[in-house]
Amino acid sequence: MAVEAISEGSAKSDFWDGVRLSMPVVVASAPFALLFGAIAVDNGFSVLEAFLMSALVFGGASQMVGIELFGQHVAPWLIVLSIFAVNFRHVLYSAGLGRRISHWPVIQQALGYFIMTDPQYAVAEARAASGKTVGFVWYLGLGLPVYVFWVIESALGAVFGKLIPDTHALGIDFLLPIYFLGLVLGFRTRPLWLPVVMASAVASIIAYKTVGSPWHVSIGAVAGMLLAVVLPPHHSGVGERP
Amino acid sequence: MSTTLWIIIAGAIATYLTRIGGHLVISRFENIHPRVEAGLNAVPAAVLTTLVAPAALSAGPAEWAALIVTALASLRGGLMAMFLAGTAVLILARQFVG
């Protein structure tokens, strides 16, 4: 009894620990969910379709790109390919996260990957780096609010789309870069942090100017990763890290 | 079923494949080579940087001020403090420089 009560209590606190960490993500993504819903309806989606896309794809940038192309009457296969390209960075996250959650039951892993986003991965990775276990309940506490709010706000955006006031004055188009910079800086104690950030920054800017969006994300990310791979292991500190 | 619905479903499947793909490939290896592990450890900073750098480059003074304050706030505070400080500066600066 006592043991059960304790583990139940700690599971509860793990969940709320995750929920607390999800709040900045919920706040930062809210404008984009509303915006997505509004743009989706504007581009010919029904409210139900906007809701479904948010619930099934659950990837902000890729949904924006998909909707944009849909509005331009691009071929369906190209829209799907673009969604795939924008989300391709998840392959890298997934390889990294797999090392943290391989002790979960398969069903929980399958669900865990479904709600894995940029911040979800980054915050889970930060927890693992600080020596704590990435548990399913904590991970769910972190991801579930983001998912629920994302889907509800997308539908709200679709219904009330035209009511969003001056989005520029509220800065909502630049909230995600600010949030992502905060995440990048959070990793600054990692070995090779500065060289990796420099390589990714330079490569992504060059790719952005030449190949164009969304490929600059994958190209810039691979450049930073490759640098970490080719530098001698004693620089990357792999053996020393717990 | 409508074309729109097919696009949504196919897009959802493509996205889920990216989310499990890396794990399915990596989990086939018994031991992870130190260099591969170093590469994986670099992923968060590498990917997130690509979501910031081009956006920062094509932005203006208000956005730059916000990013600088975000970076300064990171020296003292946590993620939420950074985010709120950067956002406050962005909204304030845009009232003046648009």
Side-chain angles (χ1 to χ4, degrees), chain A residues 136-147:
Chain A
F136 178 70
V137 172
W138 174 83
Y139 185 93
L140 206 61
L142 178 64
L144 207 55
V146 181
Y147 180 80

Side-chain angles (χ1 to χ4, degrees), chain A residues 4-15:
Chain A
E4 258 172 44
I6 288 167
S7 78
E8 197 177 283
S10 96
K12 218 178 241 176
S13 91
D14 266 1
F15 183 79

Side-chain angles (χ1 to χ4, degrees), chain A residues 46-119:
Chain A
S46 68
V47 173
L48 179 67
E49 285 162 348
F51 166 84
L52 271 181
M53 191 177 196
S54 278
L56 296 178
V57 175
F58 187 48
S62 70
Q63 290 178 225
M64 296 290 191
V65 170
I67 273 298
E68 175 74 20
L69 297 176
F70 182 81
Q72 295 173 24
H73 304 288
V74 169
W77 68 268
L78 195 56
I79 300 177
V80 175
L81 182 67
S82 299
I83 292 172
F84 183 74
V86 176
N87 286 328
F88 193 74
R89 63 188 188 282
H90 290 131
V91 171
L92 304 176
Y93 294 161
S94 155
L97 186 69
R99 299 175 300 167
R100 316 298 186 198
I101 68 170
S102 54
H103 58 284
W104 298 1
V106 174
I107 294 288
Q108 292 183 357
Q109 287 190 39
L111 180 66
Y113 287 115
F114 178 74
I115 59 168
M116 184 186 67
T117 54
D118 300 282

Side-chain angles (χ1 to χ4, degrees), chain A residues 170-184:
Chain A
L170 291 176
I172 65 173
D173 53 297
F174 206 71
L175 289 186
L176 278 188
I178 290 175
Y179 180 73
F180 289 139
L181 176 66
L183 287 177
V184 170

Side-chain angles (χ1 to χ4, degrees), chain A residues 24 57-58 87 90-91 93-95 99 110 113-114 116 121 168 171 173 181 184 188 190 200 221 229-231 241, chain B residues 4 8 15-16 18-20 22-23 26 35 37 39 41 44 46-50 57 67 71 74 80 90 94 98:
Chain A
V57 175
F58 187 48
N87 286 328
H90 290 131
V91 171
Y93 294 161
S94 155
R99 299 175 300 167
Y113 287 115
F114 178 74
M116 184 186 67
Y121 165 70
H168 182 79
D173 53 297
L181 176 66
V184 170
R188 67 185 181 279
R190 284 207 172 180
S200 297
V229 170
V230 298
L231 286 176
R241 232 172 38 84
Chain B
T4 314
I8 292 170
T15 301
Y16 193 64
T18 67
R19 285 186 166 130
I20 52 167
H23 166 64
I26 285 290
R35 285 181 188 272
E37 196 179 345
N41 286 335
V47 180
L48 294 166
T49 299
T50 70
L57 197 71
L67 291 178
S74 79
M80 193 65 184
L90 178 67
R94 278 194 175 172

